[in-house]
Amino acid sequence: MWSTLLGLGAYMIAPKIIGKMREQKIQVVHAIPGRLRLQNVRWKDKQAAAYMENVLKMHPLIGSCRVSPITGSMLLEFTNPYLQQSELDEILQLVTDVTVESFSVTNDKLMNTMKGTFDRINGNVKKTTNGYTSFDSLLIVYFLFQGLRSFPANPAFASSLFYWAYTLLKNNGGMGGDSD
């Protein structure tokens, strides 16, 4: 009777796990006793790949886990060459959950794009001025100038501009602050 109930439970749970895997676009590349290779485009991110390896290695059924950020594939080697269906379902559910968790520990693409754009602009400003100025220093001068110009009409706004200029100076080490 217990085997029937367990089989019925696996029958009801397995489609949900497979559905989540499809939702995350996790593909089973190949499986042999003791090994499983999965692939997901999300794992091509180096931070996500490292996070996946660190978390999955802690599972008692997983002997080793290697994620290739080049191909986006994951090789799982198990401590036991033959797993029960429930154990395999548990591992696949864990892989799916950890994939979703990895989104929170990686840099988002928009932020990376903005940083790259800023770095290119800053590099061009430095090249153009032979290293005399940077985008940050131009922004500080702009904030100071606008603050001085708007102070008589709107002291509160001018004060915020002065504060932004001060913050930029402090963050860039201009006034003894921490350098990035």
Side-chain angles (χ1 to χ4, degrees), residues 6 9 20-21 26 39 55 63 68 73 84 96-98 104 112 121 132 136-138 140 142 148 152 155:
L6 288 174
K20 283 188 175 183
M21 286 179 60
I26 298 171
Q39 192 168 31
V55 172
S68 170
S73 68
Q84 299 292 321
T96 305
D97 292 344
V98 173
S104 65
N112 288 340
I121 291 170
Y132 180 73
D136 281 346
S137 60
L138 291 175
I140 290 167
Y142 174 77
L148 288 171

Side-chain angles (χ1 to χ4, degrees), residues 94-169:
L94 178 64
V95 168
T96 305
D97 292 344
V98 173
T99 299
V100 172
E101 286 173 19
S102 72
F103 296 139
S104 65
V105 298
T106 59
N107 294 333
D108 59 286
K109 290 181 176 25
L110 179 59
M111 183 60 73
N112 288 340
T113 302
M114 289 189 304
K115 285 180 182 178
T117 302
F118 177 78
D119 289 344
R120 281 191 301 282
I121 291 170
N122 197 35
N124 287 336
V125 169
K126 286 181 178 181
K127 285 179 193 174
T128 304
T129 62
N130 292 326
Y132 180 73
T133 189
S134 67
F135 187 76
D136 281 346
S137 60
L138 291 175
L139 197 56
I140 290 167
V141 168
Y142 174 77
F143 286 154
L144 290 173
F145 176 74
Q146 288 296 334
L148 288 171
R149 200 174 72 122
S150 65
F151 193 79
N154 193 349
F157 178 68
S159 298
S160 68
L161 291 173
F162 291 143
Y163 181 74
W164 289 345
Y166 167 76
T167 302
L168 282 172
L169 278 171

Side-chain angles (χ1 to χ4, degrees), residues 21-91:
M21 286 179 60
R22 283 187 186 138
E23 182 180 302
Q24 291 301 318
K25 297 184 174 133
I26 298 171
Q27 298 175 342
V28 177
V29 178
H30 77 87
I32 58 173
R35 291 173 52 136
L36 178 65
R37 184 173 298 276
L38 304 170
Q39 192 168 31
N40 185 320
V41 70
R42 176 73 185 131
W43 302 335
K44 289 185 177 184
D45 182 281
K46 289 180 183 178
Q47 290 177 317
Y51 180 79
M52 297 288 295
E53 283 182 357
N54 290 335
V55 172
L56 292 174
K57 282 182 200 175
M58 291 188 252
H59 193 280
L61 292 174
I62 298 175
S64 72
C65 174
R66 290 185 298 266
V67 181
S68 170
I70 296 169
T71 62
S73 68
M74 172 189 302
L75 178 64
L76 295 172
E77 293 179 346
F78 304 113
T79 55
N80 185 358
Y82 297 100
L83 298 177
Q84 299 292 321
Q85 182 64 43
S86 61
E87 294 171 329
L88 182 60
D89 290 346
E90 176 187 335
I91 289 171

